[in-house]
Amino acid sequence: MMKKQKYIRLLLCLVFFAKTSSYAQVMEEMWDKGTGLKEHPNVGWFKDAKFGLFIHWGLYSKLAGKWNGKNYYGSGEWIMNQAKIPAAEYAKVASTFNPVNFNADEWAQLASDAGIKYLVITAKHHEGFAMFDSKASDFNIVKATPYGKDPMKALATATAKKNIRFGFYYSQFVDWHEPNGGRNSWDFDESKKNYASYYSQKAIPQLKELLTNYGPLGIVWFDLPGGLTKEETQKLVDSLHALQPQSLFSSRVGQGLGDYKDFGDSEIPDAPVKGAWESIYTHNDSWGYIEHDLNFKSPAAIIQLLAKVASKGGNLMLNVGPDGNGRIPYHSVKYLRETGKWLKKNGEAIYGTTYGFIPQQPWGVTTAKPGKLFLHVFSRPGNGKLLVPGFSNAVKAVYALGNRQSVSWKKAGNDLELQLPAFAQDAPNTVFVVEYTGAQPGYDNKSAQIVSGQYATTVLDAHTARLSGNPKTKSFTFSHYFGDWKHETCVIDMQQKKDSISFQLRVTEPGDYRIVLEYSCGQEGFKQEGVIGFAGQQYLFRTLKTGEFEKNTPLLFIKHAVSIATVQQPGEYTLSIHPYQDGKELFKLRSVILEPVK
Ligand code: FHN
């Protein structure tokens, strides 16, 4: 080949690689950037804690998702807003709020049994009702209800006895009870509100009461900031930190402040994130109690969610919504206890860990401590041979965490292969420990993704694709009911034939694999054709319609089985997807799923 042609070819390759390495760059930027917050010197306990309990409890708990004979779905704590209940009418609920079954010691014991290390409870949510004794407003549980006691005082004491860090959630701006509070536009004219007077007469005095009267607080969890400039927010933070310098303030204090980062509701970052952060999830579909919401995450789902969040380097704060009588729902108690039993045996793989340096595999995720990599095996390989790709360190020992039973292993280049012992196929998360020498390697976000016939499915998340042309990744936030937020990162804007995405795959077993595309597709994009290139073949598909896409409406996805691909030899392959011809956006691709055909 002419010298010039070689040069041009080299140049083209570099351009292609540069364009298609955007995924790796994004990953580097995301987790190298960390949370972007200045970490508090006392954040160490938080980063080690890994598992917190969120409690949403207020007058809304008594309404239980029902008002005037109508059932409400989604966030039960938003019922005043969803039903546009006049503040004066809503306040009357307090006159019958009498949670006689509330028992602080039982709640603290449940948290302890569940392996919870910190507990944050709503002291005042958007409804404006104080679940504590407040001199700043008589609209509180001691003055306005037949219960007449301060449950927060009891809970602060009970959690301290169990060595569980205690904290308050406080809605510092949204307050639907107050004429000058944020976001009640059905009783009050937003344009006439004086937020400054709301802060000075209620929010700041109540926050000072909370940071003064309940002992040392691990956390003050702010929510939905508003009505303050950055300078005013900084002043608020400084004045409150002066009362409790050791307490950690959540990033939802706003204006880029806070001592650790909270991601969106039900959101886990796509890539590992350095620093102190937490993901927050509901146990069912609502933060506040809804009598008819029994869609609780199973113990297995909680255990795997905790491991997935920890595998990115963060904490999971899981929410429960007690009812108006002060009882935590039966399924929350039962499933939290099951989670605690798992943590009792496997807590070493969660507490005090950082993100694992081996990215998600078909079998599960990893967490790490110096000299140890924890393999969280959600799915056991059919032949018991578990592959840990890209493990370059020297191995000292491999064993099952639960019973310390050693596991046979072998290294082949940068592959570590374990011969797993038998264990229950339906075990939610069986942890194996790899002890190694040498420094912990960096997060491996460049290796090819493993595809194996030993697992029922291999999911290729769209955000791991390399992009070429117009396509880009975009995270969508939406809720199906109301406020039960979901987050999905998709690849969008694949419109022209040249717009392609690709996955670098390492197929360890030859055979037939069914290709399933998980996507959302609206009126303008459906019935368009696409092309999948894989293992030397091309496969055609035509998109199906999943529903109309409008802002904030739910993205509905379909798992569309489009073809069977045959892989003749094990090895590295590229799986690419592009539109068959120029047209509208093909779809919003959530993932590509490969299923071995048996
Ligand atoms: O509006 C609130 C909601 O009711 C709930 O408290 C969640 C918990 O993170 N925070 C806000 C929505 O993000």
Side-chain angles (χ1 to χ4, degrees):
M1 184 182 288
M2 299 279 287
K3 200 166 181 204
K4 190 179 172 216
Q5 281 175 324
K6 270 187 176 175
Y7 172 71
I8 290 170
R9 190 170 174 174
L10 172 66
L11 200 61
L12 285 174
C13 290
L14 285 175
V15 168
F16 177 76
F17 181 74
K19 279 175 79 65
T20 55
S21 66
S22 59
Y23 161 70
Q25 284 163 350
V26 165
M27 291 285 273
E28 292 291 339
E29 281 159 20
M30 271 186 80
W31 63 269
D32 253 353
K33 183 176 67 183
T35 63
L37 293 173
K38 193 158 88 41
E39 280 200 350
H40 188 289
N42 185 41
V43 81
W45 73 264
F46 178 83
K47 289 163 84 169
D48 288 344
K50 292 297 172 195
F51 193 24
L53 184 65
F54 212 172
I55 301 179
H56 277 65
W57 195 36
L59 297 181
Y60 47 78
S61 310
K62 178 169 175 56
L63 300 183
K66 298 176 184 303
W67 181 260
N68 279 351
K70 188 178 172 207
N71 296 322
Y72 288 81
Y73 293 82
S75 287
E77 71 287 357
W78 271 70
I79 192 164
M80 181 179 169
N81 183 301
Q82 286 207 79
K84 296 297 178 271
I85 305 170
E89 194 176 348
Y90 187 87
K92 292 175 187 160
V93 177
S95 64
T96 57
F97 187 73
N98 191 11
V100 292
N101 296 113
F102 168 69
N103 181 315
D105 288 317
E106 283 178 7
W107 286 16
Q109 186 60 55
L110 171 62
S112 176
D113 294 347
I116 296 280
K117 301 298 182 189
Y118 61 101
L119 182 153
V120 174
I121 186 166
T122 49
K124 179 201 72 94
H125 203 267
H126 308 334
E127 63 180 8
F129 181 72
M131 290 292 284
F132 63 98
D133 187 8
S134 171
K135 302 288 179 286
S137 159
D138 286 347
F139 190 46
N140 73 67
I141 192 167
V142 173
K143 299 265 186 358
T145 77
Y147 186 68
K149 291 177 281 186
D150 182 341
M152 301 298 120
K153 192 73 93 179
L155 201 53
T157 306
T159 48
K161 285 191 288 192
K162 294 291 177 187
N163 291 320
I164 291 170
R165 304 264 182 163
F166 182 64
F168 287 120
Y169 165 111
Y170 190 86
S171 173
Q172 74 271 23
F173 171 61
V174 178
D175 189 316
W176 303 321
H177 179 74
E178 304 295 339
N180 287 316
R183 302 286 182 267
N184 175 340
S185 54
W186 58 96
D187 284 326
F188 312 112
D189 178 347
E190 289 280 346
S191 67
K192 296 197 174 68
K193 291 188 174 180
N194 180 340
Y195 296 137
S197 71
Y198 165 71
Y199 273 102
S200 61
Q201 288 168 28
K202 182 170 182 180
I204 292 173
Q206 286 196 330
L207 281 163
K208 289 187 172 172
E209 288 176 320
L210 292 169
L211 276 85
T212 305
N213 302 334
Y214 295 90
L217 299 179
I219 287 173
V220 181
W221 210 92
F222 296 89
D223 202 8
L224 298 195
L228 293 179
T229 64
K230 175 145 191 173
E231 292 67 30
E232 289 165 333
T233 306
Q234 184 63 65
K235 196 160 161 266
L236 172 68
V237 165
D238 295 345
S239 65
L240 295 175
H241 257 147
L243 296 171
Q244 296 232 11
Q246 294 310 302
S247 177
L248 304 178
F249 293 177
S250 77
S251 56
R252 291 194 191 180
V253 67
Q255 298 288 356
L257 302 174
D259 302 313
Y260 71 89
K261 179 178 173 68
D262 267 295
F263 278 87
D265 293 358
S266 307
E267 181 180 20
I268 303 178
D270 289 331
V273 174
K274 286 179 180 170
W277 59 271
E278 79 186 352
S279 284
I280 47 179
Y281 275 78
T282 52
H283 188 198
N284 48 9
D285 288 323
S286 172
W287 302 97
Y289 178 71
I290 289 184
E291 186 184 42
H292 45 277
D293 179 347
L294 295 170
N295 185 31
F296 293 99
K297 293 169 184 68
S298 66
I302 298 171
I303 290 164
Q304 292 184 0
L305 179 62
L306 179 59
K308 283 175 188 163
V309 175
S311 76
K312 300 288 176 58
N315 295 6
L316 169 67
M317 183 156 76
L318 185 73
N319 180 77
V320 295
D323 64 20
N325 295 313
R327 274 189 294 250
I328 293 175
Y330 163 79
H331 292 95
S332 291
V333 172
K334 182 179 176 188
Y335 294 172
L336 276 171
R337 288 234 155 86
E338 286 300 309
T339 303
K341 286 177 191 162
W342 181 87
L343 276 166
K344 214 162 186 63
K345 282 189 184 165
N346 301 283
E348 183 188 341
I350 298 286
Y351 303 124
T353 61
T354 60
Y355 54 78
F357 47 86
I358 303 289
Q360 179 150 342
Q361 297 297 313
W363 43 262
V365 297
T366 62
T367 55
K369 282 177 179 171
K372 287 184 182 177
L373 182 70
F374 299 97
L375 314 180
H376 297 260
V377 180
F378 301 162
S379 309
R380 188 179 189 281
N383 59 6
K385 291 187 187 326
L386 186 128
L387 178 68
V388 184
F391 190 94
S392 53
N393 289 64
V395 176
K396 278 169 57 182
V398 182
Y399 51 90
L401 181 59
N403 59 15
R404 292 301 196 272
Q405 182 187 348
S406 70
V407 171
S408 63
W409 58 272
K410 67 180 181 182
K411 279 294 290 288
N414 269 352
D415 284 348
L416 168 63
E417 188 178 279
L418 278 57
Q419 183 55 55
L420 296 186
F423 57 85
Q425 192 61 17
D426 64 352
N429 178 356
T430 306
V431 180
F432 295 91
V433 187
V434 181
E435 292 193 6
Y436 63 86
T437 57
Q440 177 172 311
Y443 182 76
D444 168 21
N445 66 345
K446 296 187 180 63
S447 294
Q449 297 186 67
I450 298 294
V451 175
S452 161
Q454 297 303 324
Y455 302 93
T457 60
T458 298
V459 178
L460 309 173
D461 287 328
H463 68 77
T464 64
R466 293 169 189 240
L467 313 176
S468 176
N470 293 315
K472 51 179 166 295
T473 54
K474 181 176 168 61
S475 180
F476 293 89
T477 299
F478 53 90
S479 53
H480 286 294
Y481 282 148
F482 171 89
D484 57 324
W485 296 109
K486 317 287 176 205
H487 299 268
E488 295 293 353
T489 302
C490 300
V491 168
I492 62 172
D493 289 350
M494 292 170 76
Q495 294 156 350
Q496 298 175 332
K497 194 171 177 178
K498 68 175 179 55
D499 294 338
S500 78
I501 67 169
S502 63
F503 298 89
Q504 295 314 110
L505 306 178
R506 178 178 154 201
V507 181
T508 55
E509 274 99 28
D512 290 351
Y513 290 87
R514 188 177 306 281
I515 302 174
V516 179
L517 302 179
E518 186 185 23
Y519 61 81
S520 180
C521 184
Q523 178 64 34
E524 65 167 19
F526 91 114
K527 279 193 180 173
Q528 291 190 112
E529 291 183 276
V531 183
I532 298 170
F534 182 41
Q537 298 296 323
Q538 292 211 321
Y539 306 95
L540 288 178
F541 65 89
R542 196 175 76 174
T543 55
L544 306 175
K545 183 177 173 186
T546 59
E548 274 324 296
F549 172 71
E550 292 142 37
K551 193 165 164 33
N552 286 340
T553 55
L555 263 187
L556 297 178
F557 291 90
I558 188 171
K559 286 183 180 174
H560 182 186
V562 294
S563 187
I564 283 180
T566 298
V567 178
Q568 302 292 351
Q569 297 296 331
E572 296 229 353
Y573 296 90
T574 297
L575 185 148
S576 64
I577 303 174
H578 65 82
Y580 181 72
Q581 60 197 6
D582 293 0
K584 303 283 189 185
E585 177 186 67
L586 199 55
F587 44 32
K588 292 175 173 50
L589 182 69
R590 160 79 183 75
S591 72
V592 177
I593 300 164
L594 295 173
E595 300 172 346
V597 178
K598 300 289 180 194

